[in-house]
């Protein structure tokens, strides 16, 4: 019987926030990992994830089919993690999350590889959000090319180096007032390590072929509750000013050009108008983290381990009066 060390798994987007966690999870299970990234010369930090020679990086860009076909050569399993939160230049939602996903799936099908594709809760062909529409188109294209593909739809992902909790913690460090957009919108933040474990389980063959899983964390929280939790963890007292969606979208028309934590696009505002939680249908079908035997970690348990750096006094937290 073949061991995992004889199985080659190609991970598109292996150098990203989720990608590096997936690479580590696969290495712990002794898989050979090929990380397909746009800039392999900048992905050297992936090497210590496994044993000597276990991780190999190659150049690939989803907008260039030839590079994708070369990256999947001889692969047993192909994982697509590539996604963007905001468009820029040639990196449009359609090019990356729809056509790009199709390119990866067709390449995987051509070599007979199994496939795991990561989408997002909220993917919907009828959504007013261009991001959500592209995610839905990507899912459809993947299943058309590889009907046995397993699709994972995570809620908003948190963890070290995320663009979610770290972003609000950084804003709280810089401003005494924080705008609150979609304060009552419900989310189910999921820990990046749990998502990576779910993907590794799928590679192990423990997920249902052709199924779509929805991955949510231990609890459902409103946007207000999430920001309040971040403020408590970072020992920051800040005023939250509710911002109507119409006004938020107007401001985003200008903030989409802002740098770093201040960047906000109109499409991101549109996404905040809808809840981002695991559906009852997914729960009933067992297509969740729990269905894979994974007990999700909570934001309260994990976030203090990396958000402490945003506290005024560093790793030490003020004692309650």
């Amino acid at each position: 019987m073949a061991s995992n060390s004889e199985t080659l798994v190609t991970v598109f987007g292996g150098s990203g926030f989720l990608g590096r966690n997936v690479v580590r999870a696969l290495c712990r299970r002794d898989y050979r990992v090929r990380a397909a990234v746009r800039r392999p010369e900048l992905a050297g930090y992936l090497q210590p994830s496994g044993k000597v020679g276990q991780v190999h990086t190659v150049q690939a860009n989803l907008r260039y089919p030839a590079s994708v076909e070369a990256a999947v050569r001889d692969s047993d399993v192909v994982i697509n993690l590539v996604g963007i939160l905001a468009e820029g230049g040639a990196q449009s939602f359609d090019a990356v999350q729809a056509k790009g996903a199709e390119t990866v799936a067709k390449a995987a099908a051509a070599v007979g590889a199994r496939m795991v594709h990561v989408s997002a809760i909220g993917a919907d062909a009828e959504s007013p959000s261009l991001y959500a529409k592209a995610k839905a188109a990507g899912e459809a294209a993947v299943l058309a090319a590889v009907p046995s593909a397993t699709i994972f739809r995570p809620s908003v992902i948190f963890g070290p180096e995320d663009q979610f909790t770290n972003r609000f913690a950084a804003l709280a460090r810089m401003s005494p007032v924080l705008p609150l957009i979609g304060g009552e919108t419900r989310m189910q933040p999921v820990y990046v390590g749990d998502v990576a474990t779910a993907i590794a389980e799928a590679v192990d063959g423990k997920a249902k072929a052709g199924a779509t899983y929805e991955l949510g964390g231990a609890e459902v929280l409103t946007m207000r509750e999430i920001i309040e939790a971040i403020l408590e963890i970072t020992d920051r007292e800040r005023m939250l000013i509710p911002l109507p969606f119409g006004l938020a979208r107007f401001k985003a028309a200008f903030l989409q050009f802002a740098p770093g934590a201040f960047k906000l696009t109109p499409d991101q505002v549109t996404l905040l108008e809808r809840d981002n939680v695991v559906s009852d249908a997914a729960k009933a079908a067992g297509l969740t983290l729990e269905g894979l035997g994974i007990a999700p970690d909570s934001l309260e348990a994990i976030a203090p381990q990396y958000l402490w750096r945003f506290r005024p006094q560093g790793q030490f937290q003020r004692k309650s009066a």
Side-chain angles (χ1 to χ4, degrees):
M1 183 176 178
S3 67
N4 286 350
S5 63
E6 297 175 347
T7 300
L8 175 60
V9 183
T10 295
V11 183
F12 286 88
S15 61
F17 166 55
L18 174 57
R20 65 193 70 180
N21 284 273
V22 170
V23 169
R24 281 196 292 267
L26 294 173
C27 285
R28 286 196 293 268
R29 301 182 187 214
D30 293 326
Y31 288 104
R32 291 169 52 215
V33 179
R34 178 187 289 157
V37 300
R38 286 196 298 163
R39 299 289 300 276
E41 72 276 11
L42 300 180
Y45 53 81
L46 292 175
Q47 300 302 325
S49 299
K51 303 170 186 175
V52 175
Q54 188 176 2
V55 180
H56 177 59
T57 57
V58 297
Q59 198 282 331
N61 187 321
L62 268 56
R63 292 187 293 108
Y64 298 94
S67 71
V68 173
E69 292 165 6
V72 304
R73 190 174 297 131
D74 300 322
S75 298
D76 298 292
V77 185
V78 172
I79 301 173
N80 181 35
L81 307 175
V82 181
I84 55 175
L85 295 174
E87 296 179 308
Q91 297 292 98
S92 68
F93 290 135
D94 183 63
V96 175
Q97 296 173 172
K99 294 178 181 176
E102 180 179 30
T103 298
V104 173
K106 286 183 175 179
V111 299
R114 291 191 291 121
M115 185 165 178
V116 178
H117 175 69
V118 175
S119 181
I121 286 180
D124 181 358
E126 303 301 321
S127 173
S129 162
L130 296 178
Y131 170 90
K133 279 185 177 179
K135 283 291 189 182
E139 290 182 4
V142 167
L143 290 174
V146 187
S148 62
T150 298
I151 293 176
F152 287 117
R153 290 179 171 182
S155 183
V156 60
I157 302 176
F158 72 90
E161 301 173 347
D162 68 27
Q163 295 184 50
F164 180 57
T165 58
N166 284 284
R167 178 182 184 179
F168 287 111
L171 286 171
R173 185 166 59 182
M174 293 183 282
S175 173
V177 176
L178 296 180
L180 181 62
I181 304 170
E184 300 309 311
T185 300
R186 299 184 308 143
M187 296 188 175
Q188 200 167 346
V190 60
Y191 175 48
V192 65
D194 292 333
V195 177
T197 298
I199 293 170
E201 290 286 290
V203 174
D204 280 349
K206 297 177 182 177
K208 296 178 182 178
T212 298
Y213 285 76
E214 296 186 8
L215 310 182
E219 54 191 348
V220 173
L221 301 168
T222 65
M223 194 65 181
R224 175 184 289 275
E225 290 171 334
I226 292 171
I227 295 178
E228 288 175 343
I230 293 171
L231 292 175
E232 182 177 355
I233 291 169
T234 57
D235 272 350
R236 302 281 180 178
E237 294 182 3
R238 296 292 184 262
M239 182 180 296
L240 300 181
I241 305 296
L243 205 61
F245 286 115
L247 180 56
R249 195 171 287 106
F250 174 76
K251 294 187 68 173
F254 302 96
L255 291 176
Q256 63 183 317
F257 305 109
F262 292 100
K263 186 179 184 69
L264 177 69
T265 71
D267 200 70
Q268 288 169 347
V269 174
T270 299
L271 284 172
L272 286 170
E273 294 186 59
R274 293 190 177 185
D275 290 343
N276 195 275
V277 300
V278 174
S279 67
D280 291 336
K283 293 176 185 176
L287 301 177
T288 61
L289 283 175
E290 292 85 351
L292 289 169
I294 301 169
D297 288 296
S298 69
L299 182 70
E300 181 183 18
I302 299 295
Q305 299 176 30
Y306 61 91
L307 289 183
W308 61 264
R309 63 194 180 93
F310 290 98
R311 294 173 184 159
Q313 62 283 354
Q315 63 180 311
F316 302 103
Q317 190 166 18
R318 290 193 301 263
K319 293 182 179 179
S320 300

